[in-house]
PDB file of all heavy atoms in Angstrom:
ATOM      1  N   GLU U 127      82.357  62.472 288.494  1.00  0.00           N
ATOM      2  CA  GLU U 127      83.562  63.282 288.949  1.00  0.00           C
ATOM      3  C   GLU U 127      84.217  64.075 287.806  1.00  0.00           C
ATOM      4  O   GLU U 127      84.633  65.195 287.953  1.00  0.00           O
ATOM      5  CB  GLU U 127      84.504  62.297 289.736  1.00  0.00           C
ATOM      6  CG  GLU U 127      83.898  61.913 291.060  1.00  0.00           C
ATOM      7  CD  GLU U 127      84.862  60.998 291.820  1.00  0.00           C
ATOM      8  OE1 GLU U 127      85.853  60.527 291.283  1.00  0.00           O
ATOM      9  OE2 GLU U 127      84.604  60.842 293.049  1.00  0.00           O
ATOM     10  N   PHE U 130      82.211  67.113 286.803  1.00  0.00           N
ATOM     11  CA  PHE U 130      82.200  68.296 287.755  1.00  0.00           C
ATOM     12  C   PHE U 130      83.605  68.848 288.040  1.00  0.00           C
ATOM     13  O   PHE U 130      83.731  70.076 288.204  1.00  0.00           O
ATOM     14  CB  PHE U 130      81.542  67.957 289.094  1.00  0.00           C
ATOM     15  CG  PHE U 130      79.991  67.861 288.934  1.00  0.00           C
ATOM     16  CD1 PHE U 130      79.262  66.739 288.754  1.00  0.00           C
ATOM     17  CD2 PHE U 130      79.384  69.143 288.845  1.00  0.00           C
ATOM     18  CE1 PHE U 130      77.963  66.749 288.511  1.00  0.00           C
ATOM     19  CE2 PHE U 130      77.857  69.195 288.720  1.00  0.00           C
ATOM     20  CZ  PHE U 130      77.229  68.035 288.585  1.00  0.00           C
ATOM     21  N   TYR U 135      84.938  71.952 290.193  1.00  0.00           N
ATOM     22  CA  TYR U 135      84.389  71.462 291.481  1.00  0.00           C
ATOM     23  C   TYR U 135      85.535  70.684 292.193  1.00  0.00           C
ATOM     24  O   TYR U 135      86.430  69.995 291.547  1.00  0.00           O
ATOM     25  CB  TYR U 135      83.181  70.622 291.379  1.00  0.00           C
ATOM     26  CG  TYR U 135      81.958  71.368 291.109  1.00  0.00           C
ATOM     27  CD1 TYR U 135      81.821  72.127 290.015  1.00  0.00           C
ATOM     28  CD2 TYR U 135      80.792  71.245 291.959  1.00  0.00           C
ATOM     29  CE1 TYR U 135      80.613  72.847 289.727  1.00  0.00           C
ATOM     30  CE2 TYR U 135      79.682  71.868 291.789  1.00  0.00           C
ATOM     31  CZ  TYR U 135      79.553  72.672 290.570  1.00  0.00           C
ATOM     32  OH  TYR U 135      78.327  73.374 290.341  1.00  0.00           O
ATOM     33  N   GLU U 136      85.450  70.568 293.497  1.00  0.00           N
ATOM     34  CA  GLU U 136      86.375  69.768 294.368  1.00  0.00           C
ATOM     35  C   GLU U 136      85.584  68.586 294.711  1.00  0.00           C
ATOM     36  O   GLU U 136      84.274  68.643 295.003  1.00  0.00           O
ATOM     37  CB  GLU U 136      86.763  70.673 295.562  1.00  0.00           C
ATOM     38  CG  GLU U 136      87.904  70.158 296.349  1.00  0.00           C
ATOM     39  CD  GLU U 136      88.040  71.077 297.554  1.00  0.00           C
ATOM     40  OE1 GLU U 136      87.444  72.185 297.660  1.00  0.00           O
ATOM     41  OE2 GLU U 136      88.754  70.594 298.513  1.00  0.00           O
ATOM     42  N   VAL U 137      86.211  67.420 294.872  1.00  0.00           N
ATOM     43  CA  VAL U 137      85.607  66.163 295.391  1.00  0.00           C
ATOM     44  C   VAL U 137      85.886  66.037 296.879  1.00  0.00           C
ATOM     45  O   VAL U 137      87.024  65.928 297.249  1.00  0.00           O
ATOM     46  CB  VAL U 137      86.011  64.944 294.557  1.00  0.00           C
ATOM     47  CG1 VAL U 137      85.284  63.716 295.140  1.00  0.00           C
ATOM     48  CG2 VAL U 137      85.722  65.177 293.100  1.00  0.00           C
ATOM     49  N   VAL U 138      84.896  65.978 297.715  1.00  0.00           N
ATOM     50  CA  VAL U 138      85.129  65.793 299.127  1.00  0.00           C
ATOM     51  C   VAL U 138      84.323  64.566 299.653  1.00  0.00           C
ATOM     52  O   VAL U 138      83.525  64.040 298.923  1.00  0.00           O
ATOM     53  CB  VAL U 138      84.777  67.131 299.929  1.00  0.00           C
ATOM     54  CG1 VAL U 138      85.494  68.309 299.405  1.00  0.00           C
ATOM     55  CG2 VAL U 138      83.206  67.305 299.972  1.00  0.00           C
ATOM     56  N   MET U 197      81.705  72.133 295.517  1.00  0.00           N
ATOM     57  CA  MET U 197      82.092  70.816 295.738  1.00  0.00           C
ATOM     58  C   MET U 197      81.109  69.734 295.292  1.00  0.00           C
ATOM     59  O   MET U 197      79.853  70.024 295.212  1.00  0.00           O
ATOM     60  CB  MET U 197      82.389  70.612 297.250  1.00  0.00           C
ATOM     61  CG  MET U 197      81.172  70.676 298.122  1.00  0.00           C
ATOM     62  SD  MET U 197      80.381  69.073 298.430  1.00  0.00           S
ATOM     63  CE  MET U 197      79.133  69.449 299.702  1.00  0.00           C
ATOM     64  N   ILE U 198      81.541  68.508 295.098  1.00  0.00           N
ATOM     65  CA  ILE U 198      80.672  67.372 295.085  1.00  0.00           C
ATOM     66  C   ILE U 198      81.141  66.375 296.176  1.00  0.00           C
ATOM     67  O   ILE U 198      82.352  66.318 296.368  1.00  0.00           O
ATOM     68  CB  ILE U 198      80.517  66.623 293.682  1.00  0.00           C
ATOM     69  CG1 ILE U 198      81.880  66.196 293.125  1.00  0.00           C
ATOM     70  CG2 ILE U 198      79.851  67.486 292.660  1.00  0.00           C
ATOM     71  CD1 ILE U 198      81.787  65.243 291.989  1.00  0.00           C
ATOM     72  N   ALA U 199      80.260  65.579 296.766  1.00  0.00           N
ATOM     73  CA  ALA U 199      80.542  64.723 297.856  1.00  0.00           C
ATOM     74  C   ALA U 199      79.909  63.385 297.599  1.00  0.00           C
ATOM     75  O   ALA U 199      78.659  63.199 297.874  1.00  0.00           O
ATOM     76  CB  ALA U 199      80.044  65.325 299.135  1.00  0.00           C
ATOM     77  N   PRO U 200      80.579  62.504 296.926  1.00  0.00           N
ATOM     78  CA  PRO U 200      79.995  61.083 296.791  1.00  0.00           C
ATOM     79  C   PRO U 200      80.070  60.214 298.020  1.00  0.00           C
ATOM     80  O   PRO U 200      80.895  60.510 298.860  1.00  0.00           O
ATOM     81  CB  PRO U 200      80.878  60.530 295.633  1.00  0.00           C
ATOM     82  CG  PRO U 200      82.156  61.182 295.723  1.00  0.00           C
ATOM     83  CD  PRO U 200      81.927  62.562 296.460  1.00  0.00           C
ATOM     84  N   GLU U 221      76.403  64.407 296.257  1.00  0.00           N
ATOM     85  CA  GLU U 221      75.846  65.637 296.712  1.00  0.00           C
ATOM     86  C   GLU U 221      76.654  66.680 295.937  1.00  0.00           C
ATOM     87  O   GLU U 221      77.813  66.525 295.575  1.00  0.00           O
ATOM     88  CB  GLU U 221      76.179  65.835 298.123  1.00  0.00           C
ATOM     89  CG  GLU U 221      75.321  66.908 298.818  1.00  0.00           C
ATOM     90  CD  GLU U 221      73.809  66.554 298.925  1.00  0.00           C
ATOM     91  OE1 GLU U 221      73.480  65.414 298.902  1.00  0.00           O
ATOM     92  OE2 GLU U 221      73.044  67.481 299.190  1.00  0.00           O
TER      93      GLU U 221
END
Side-chain angles (χ1 to χ4, degrees):
E127 288 182 343
F130 282 102
Y135 285 58
E136 198 185 342
V137 181
V138 304
M197 67 91 173
I198 56 167
E221 193 75 14

